[in-house]
Amino acid sequence: MNNLEFFLNLSSNKINVILIDKKGKNKIFNKDFDFENNFNDTKGIINNLNNILKNLIIEIEKKISNPINKINLMIDNPETLSIYTSIKKNFDNKKIHKNQIEYLIEDLKQQILKNSLDIKIAHILVEYYFLDGEMYNKLPVEKVCKDLVIQTRFICFSKIFINSLEDLFFNYQIDINKIICTNYAKSLLQNDLNNLADAGLRVVEGFNTNEVVINS
């Protein structure tokens, strides 16, 4: 089971279910269900999922001869909330250390959660670093500067929506390993932009080094 990743993608007209072998990058299970999912109707989406989960879980567990205990939930909602913000720190011509940048981003995260009680953060992306006005795309560890500015993007979902999904899967003894914005995941692909499995794997495996890992 360590080599298997289970992805379930919610879009406005489908529920896609994919089980993939990470080692061989091949799909062990792939099934689509046609549903009209209105992202403003959480109860409707939960009912749609509940209608397929019981038989679906039995079918997959029979195929792999193991229980499913975690999934990666991909959400393809065109109205996903993105919050763009930045933070500035004076370094007084000292070297930048990784833990200092992590602290600054955690500070930003806590500020956003404090002021937006109705959201859950799915992804934290560092878009740019500015050292004394000079732009960097990658983590500028060990560089010396007077001032550091970190420009970030937080991709968020409704807390009520995510909590409802977590409760549903909990009823089936399944934990949600990672919440993934499908549009963001697809942006990491270079070819075959509709390959949900590859897109999901890139997020789970940390393909984007400028995405900050979120701990529960």
Side-chain angles (χ1 to χ4, degrees), residues 37-45 77 79:
N37 292 311
N38 179 355
F39 284 100
N40 293 318
D41 179 13
T42 296
K43 186 176 179 180
I45 292 178
N77 181 357
E79 298 181 8

Side-chain angles (χ1 to χ4, degrees), residues 192-210:
D192 192 5
L193 301 183
N194 291 315
N195 189 332
L196 291 171
D198 195 16
L201 273 179
R202 291 197 172 208
V203 174
V204 170
E205 295 179 343
F207 177 83
N208 183 3
T209 56
N210 280 349

